[in-house]
Amino acid sequence: MDFELKILGSSSATPTFERHHTAQVLTVGNQINLIDCGEGTQMQLMRYKVKHQRICNIFISHLHGDHYFGLAGLLSTMHLQQRTSSLNLFGPKGLAEILTLQFKYGGTQLPYRINFVEVDTSVCKKIFEDKYLTVHTLPMQHRVPCCGYLFKEKPKPRHLLKGKLPSFLTPPQLVRLKWGEDIRNEQGEILVRNQDVTSDPKHSRSYAYCADTKYKEDILPYVKGVDLLYHESTFLSDMEHRATHTFHSTAAQAATLAQKAQVKRLLIGHFSARYKDLHPLLEEAQAIFPNTNLAVEGKTVSILE
Amino acid sequence: MDFELKILGSSSATPTFERHHTAQVLTVGNQINLIDCGEGTQMQLMRYKVKHQRICNIFISHLHGDHYFGLAGLLSTMHLQQRTSSLNLFGPKGLAEILTLQFKYGGTQLPYRINFVEVDTSVCKKIFEDKYLTVHTLPMQHRVPCCGYLFKEKPKPRHLLKGKLPSFLTPPQLVRLKWGEDIRNEQGEILVRNQDVTSDPKHSRSYAYCADTKYKEDILPYVKGVDLLYHESTFLSDMEHRATHTFHSTAAQAATLAQKAQVKRLLIGHFSARYKDLHPLLEEAQAIFPNTNLAVEGKTVSILE
């Protein structure tokens, strides 16, 4: 099953000619999740051939325009293109009020349902769950209420070792083995020991999206060991003072967090328009956490099982 | 003095990869007027090298997203880039309320003043005037309150024919001659006949922007004889029924209006995404009004004096 992230925008608040406002697409199997939706996201979706009608969930981190000013336009285009399937929209207080007002004055009545979930940006809390995935909020520290999102695949079934399975096992017993149980008789004695007939399940993959934030170690327990951490890196370290003042992070801070959280891979983005060349940001991060990449628009990061 | 129009967006509600949502820039001398501001306008301004800090006036036709969803982002970028000079913003009821709500949740306090003028979209009324220009609303007929805008240069002074001016004329008398008066003595007798010593002033140029609308002849008196008429042409005539149903116009209707209003030049735009090739729209309009052009993004139409 696919578990891959596509970057649609990598710029901080002022866009540049090459870099757009924040938006990312996380594909998990057939499910497309849109994470933030800066101005122009619908055009970026078109550019990178992501079908917006397949988006099931939209997660908005906070109400600075560079993270959501493309949302009303995208929802309108879904409407014009006859979307009928419902959509889950997660975001902080105020988002529904703004959209409602825009649609009121636009005389827009959407032909599909939006299930709006107002998230509490101050806690790590499960806000979504389906067969494959859970999503938790990650509290950020920014100038307005802001959260990241943690996407985790659910635990997967163990592999049955076909050559080692006794033939008397029934289908329900096989399912129980897949989920880690031993098979016992009515007296409670073990007939088939799980570890003898199964091997470990495929890895459950995880992606943590850390939106605009000051350096903040208290999220470490939540993002510990994730396969992929995206962390904003608006500035280089020589502007750490400005980063702190504006509630943003430096590339070194992002890398330090990645290192402390022992994540597998770090992606940095949300670059200030002042950086034409992004390599100094990459080098600064890699000096601390070598497995770092730049968020590059149109590029996909696949996480293998 | 320049009087030129630059097209930033030529698409109707669903953008295409090549065509963006509506926005136009009318430059009159040093003054830049932005007309509508669809999503992505700030990027289009960048692409076509229009400095947004020089925009003095913004005119929004109506509150369908394809005409204003780029506005909050543009105003935010002006803020981030330290704009301090005030800005006039003209638009229908609801626009200020939406922006105020967006800025409230974004924690945004603009460092420059926006003079918001709520326009009555149902009448032709002067809403702006400075030394060079007047701007009037043009009532459109759309699904929500909508107006176009008529930009007219003010009358210009007559040319003094230097070789023919008597030497006794004082500076105030010369000014009076420039504005068409004869010079008389105290008895009211003509000393210098204006027509003997002056020639006609330069032409006062005009541009009429007709935003989303059904075909609507009652604007003919207002746009009569303008140098340049922009009229939306969402559809070809074979979709006239759909045009009427959605309160839009066909290319033939735009051309008919141009012909009846005896304008000098017609520009058609706001093309439906269904038309990959725009030439059939152009041909349909030119069959009725030959001096028609397509609104092409990045192209400039200069109107000479």
Side-chain angles (χ1 to χ4, degrees), chain B residues 6 48-49 51 91 109 148 160 229 235 238 254 285-286 298:
Chain B
K6 192 187 273 283
Y48 296 119
K49 302 190 191 328
K51 291 197 189 316
Q109 291 204 310
L160 299 177
L229 170 70
F235 298 107
D238 61 357
Q286 283 181 335

Side-chain angles (χ1 to χ4, degrees), chain A residues 14-34:
Chain A
T14 305
T16 71
F17 195 63
E18 295 81 22
R19 300 198 295 266
H20 296 76
H21 280 159
T22 302
Q24 302 184 356
V25 165
L26 181 70
T27 303
V28 181
N30 288 322
Q31 183 191 70
I32 294 187
N33 303 281
L34 179 65

Side-chain angles (χ1 to χ4, degrees), chain A residues 137-173:
Chain A
T137 48
L138 292 170
M140 302 284 108
Q141 194 175 356
H142 198 44
R143 302 193 303 275
V144 294
C146 179
C147 65
Y149 292 98
L150 173 63
F151 300 83
K152 286 196 294 194
E153 274 191 310
K154 286 190 161 174
K156 296 175 181 176
R158 299 181 66 77
H159 295 289
L160 299 177
L161 301 171
K162 291 200 173 145
K164 298 194 173 175
L165 291 170
S167 58
F168 61 78
L169 288 167
T170 63
Q173 286 173 322

Side-chain angles (χ1 to χ4, degrees), chain B residues 73-228:
Chain B
L74 176 61
L75 298 178
S76 300
T77 296
M78 287 174 169
H79 162 34
L80 290 167
Q81 296 197 350
Q82 318 292 334
R83 183 184 182 111
T84 53
S85 54
S86 66
L87 184 70
N88 300 314
L89 173 59
F90 303 85
K93 177 177 164 59
L95 183 58
E97 188 182 347
I98 291 167
L99 292 173
T100 302
L101 192 66
Q102 288 177 311
F103 290 142
K104 173 186 139 188
Y105 282 111
T108 306
Q109 291 204 310
L110 297 179
Y112 58 92
R113 182 177 162 75
I114 297 180
N115 305 313
F116 181 71
V117 179
E118 185 177 305
V119 299
D120 180 349
T121 59
S122 67
V123 292
C124 179
K125 186 183 167 191
K126 186 162 75 184
I127 53 164
F128 177 78
E129 179 169 19
D130 69 3
K131 197 172 165 189
Y132 301 110
L133 201 68
T134 60
V135 185
H136 289 71
T137 48
L138 292 170
M140 302 285 109
Q141 193 175 355
H142 198 44
R143 303 192 303 274
V144 293
C146 178
C147 65
Y149 293 98
L150 173 64
F151 300 82
K152 286 195 294 193
E153 276 192 310
K154 286 188 159 175
K156 297 174 181 177
R158 298 181 67 77
H159 296 287
L160 299 177
L161 301 171
K162 291 204 171 135
K164 298 194 172 177
L165 291 169
S167 57
F168 62 78
L169 287 167
T170 63
Q173 286 173 323
L174 290 172
V175 171
R176 283 158 57 198
L177 283 168
K178 279 187 175 183
W179 291 103
E181 290 181 40
D182 297 322
I183 303 301
R184 294 167 187 268
N185 63 14
E186 288 178 359
Q187 288 71 43
E189 294 158 352
I190 292 178
L191 292 178
V192 182
R193 191 177 303 273
N194 194 294
Q195 67 189 47
D196 296 339
V197 297
T198 69
S199 63
D200 285 344
K202 285 185 178 171
H203 171 59
S204 291
R205 295 162 290 185
S206 52
Y207 170 54
Y209 169 74
C210 290
D212 296 14
T213 190
K214 257 173 122 154
Y215 180 70
K216 191 173 186 285
E217 289 198 354
D218 53 1
I219 62 162
L220 282 174
Y222 312 130
V223 301
K224 194 162 183 74
V226 294
D227 292 286
L228 180 64

